Amino acid sequence: MGAFAPTSAVDKDLLQSIRDSIVGPVLDGLRKEDRPFVGCLHAELVLTPEGAKVLAMRPCIGDPVAQAALPLLEANLYEVLAACA
């Protein structure tokens, strides 16, 4: 198992579709249940001809995901984590 990012397989339109059809509804549902999410939500997705499908949603970030995702972070990691605390 591994992780890599960024990928040319996800263009801006697909990323917006993932936000609109997967991530946004999950966060909206948590808010509606009075369980607002604060932290890192790791979405494991598979790309199919019909679009992105969810394999798992995890409220954490660890190896190997962190190794691929953290270099893409443009903000100070400490400040991001402190804002979540």
Side-chain angles (χ1 to χ4, degrees):
M1 185 179 292
F4 61 93
T7 175
S8 60
V10 179
D11 61 17
K12 290 181 181 183
D13 291 336
L14 180 55
L15 184 58
Q16 189 61 50
S17 173
I18 291 167
R19 286 180 180 144
D20 293 344
S21 66
I22 297 172
V23 178
V26 167
L27 296 176
D28 290 344
L30 289 168
R31 277 191 290 274
K32 286 178 185 173
E33 292 181 4
D34 199 28
R35 298 171 177 235
F37 182 80
V38 176
C40 179
L41 184 61
H42 164 205
E44 291 183 21
L45 307 174
V46 62
L47 302 180
T48 73
E50 294 80 32
K53 304 296 180 188
V54 178
L55 293 176
M57 298 288 275
R58 302 177 196 278
C60 63
I61 187 165
D63 286 340
V65 175
Q67 292 176 344
L70 289 179
L72 301 175
L73 186 64
E74 295 178 1
N76 180 293
L77 179 59
Y78 174 79
E79 291 175 4
V80 171
L81 296 175
C84 293

